[in-house]
């Protein structure tokens, strides 16, 4: 059980927000895509899988299934063969086909651009929907993956036990620029505030860090 971490004050929250926006002014996802269909698939595949791995898998997948119609009619085993180096590929393959079938049947073959509609698709939870909306439309939404969760706890921004509760807390505290803050926290957590051996020397947030030990997720 991780020890309780001191919560950031209102003043600290404002300073943390300003520092993130200053150091990551134009951050975007590292997933590679050409349109919303490709982005949605890439985000679905990235759950508990690295963006790097997803970017290796997707070119051949997108070439074979360039649109929702082709994916809706795909053979399950064939889809699995394209994504079998990705974690949970069996489940993801089923969800990709079901997602595409729903897009064809219920949305005229067009990926819906509203979060409430996206979450109705197979394999698309709130986090996936938020990430798609953040990246594609710049929506003022927060999404919490393992990196954001870890960074938020280490900085005392959140002590919530779940990602969704953490999302609510960060949304309430930051209020604006959520899409940029999400991307900033992902990159910061991925390359600097890592789960093991975080790079704390000269860190621009060192003054606000509450712990580098806890939350090795």
């Amino acid at each position: 059980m991780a020890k309780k971490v001191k919560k950031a004050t209102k003043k600290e929250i404002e300073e943390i927000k300003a520092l993130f926006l200053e150091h990551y002014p134009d951050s975007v996802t590292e997933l590679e895509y050409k349109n919303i269909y490709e982005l949605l698939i890439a985000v679905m595949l990235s759950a508990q899988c690295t963006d790097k791995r997803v970017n290796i898998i997707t070119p051949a997948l997108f070439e074979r299934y360039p649109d929702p119609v082709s994916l809706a009619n795909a053979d399950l085993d064939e889809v699995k063969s394209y994504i079998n180096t990705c974690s949970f590929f069996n489940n993801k393959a089923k969800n990709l086909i079901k997602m595409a079938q729903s897009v064809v049947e219920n949305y005229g073959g067009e990926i819906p651009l509203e979060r409430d509609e996206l979450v109705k698709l197979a394999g698309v939870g709130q986090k996936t929907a938020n990430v798609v909306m953040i990246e594609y439309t710049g929506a003022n939404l927060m999404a919490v993956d393992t990196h954001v969760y870890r960074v938020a706890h280490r900085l005392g921004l959140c002590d919530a036990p779940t990602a969704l509760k953490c999302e609510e807390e960060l949304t309430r505290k930051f209020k604006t620029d959520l899409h940029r803050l999400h991307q900033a926290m992902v990159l910061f957590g991925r390359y600097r505030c890592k789960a093991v051996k975080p790079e704390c020397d000269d860190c621009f947030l060192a003054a606000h860090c509450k712990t580098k030990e806890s939350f090795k997720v």
Side-chain angles (χ1 to χ4, degrees):
M1 187 75 180
K3 63 176 188 274
K4 272 286 203 191
V5 173
K6 197 176 164 200
K7 295 292 281 282
T9 63
K10 269 189 175 177
K11 184 169 178 282
E12 283 182 310
I13 291 164
E14 286 307 311
E15 286 170 5
I16 290 166
K17 180 177 177 177
L19 285 164
F20 270 132
L21 295 175
E22 179 192 330
H23 283 81
Y24 298 93
D26 304 306
S27 47
V28 292
T29 184
E30 293 187 305
L31 293 168
E32 291 163 5
Y33 68 96
K34 294 192 192 76
N35 51 52
I36 184 144
Y37 165 73
E38 292 188 359
L39 173 62
L40 177 57
I41 289 174
V43 176
M44 288 172 72
L45 290 175
S46 73
Q48 288 157 310
C49 184
T50 65
D51 288 6
K52 202 172 179 180
R53 164 63 44 199
V54 173
N55 289 338
I56 291 168
I57 293 167
T58 49
L61 182 71
F62 294 155
E63 194 176 334
R64 179 70 182 88
Y65 311 108
D67 50 48
V69 174
S70 53
L71 185 56
N73 292 299
D75 174 74
L76 178 61
D77 287 331
E78 193 180 323
V79 173
K80 284 182 188 177
S81 73
Y82 281 97
I83 66 169
N84 62 10
T85 57
C86 186
S87 55
F88 306 106
F89 72 91
N90 283 314
N91 244 353
K92 286 177 180 177
K94 286 177 199 161
N95 281 332
L96 286 177
I97 294 172
K98 280 188 199 159
M99 174 276 289
Q101 288 169 344
S102 180
V103 166
V104 171
E105 287 163 23
N106 303 319
Y107 300 97
E110 299 288 328
I111 307 292
L113 260 182
E114 293 91 34
R115 183 176 74 169
D116 292 347
E117 297 302 317
L118 282 169
V119 294
K120 293 177 185 174
L121 301 173
V124 180
Q126 186 165 308
K127 188 191 86 176
T128 297
N130 282 5
V131 171
V132 170
M133 295 296 291
I134 285 164
E135 175 63 27
Y136 206 75
T137 71
N140 189 44
L141 294 169
M142 176 55 67
V144 175
D145 66 357
T146 54
H147 301 299
V148 176
Y149 188 82
R150 178 173 67 253
V151 169
H153 281 73
R154 284 180 174 174
L155 292 171
L157 294 169
C158 161
D159 60 3
T162 67
L164 280 180
K165 289 279 182 203
C166 184
E167 179 197 310
E168 285 170 19
E169 215 169 318
L170 291 174
T171 301
R172 195 171 63 246
K173 287 176 177 174
F174 284 141
K175 295 182 180 67
T176 58
D177 291 306
L178 297 180
H179 61 300
R180 287 166 66 203
L181 290 161
H182 160 75
Q183 305 285 24
M185 290 174 82
V186 169
L187 295 175
F188 179 68
R190 185 174 289 158
Y191 297 111
R192 183 133 207 177
C193 194
K194 296 178 282 195
V196 181
K197 296 188 182 165
E199 294 171 14
C200 302
D201 294 348
D202 304 319
C203 175
F204 66 90
L205 285 167
H208 300 290
C209 184
K210 310 296 183 210
T211 172
K212 54 189 173 188
E213 293 307 315
S214 314
F215 306 102
K216 293 186 175 175
V217 290

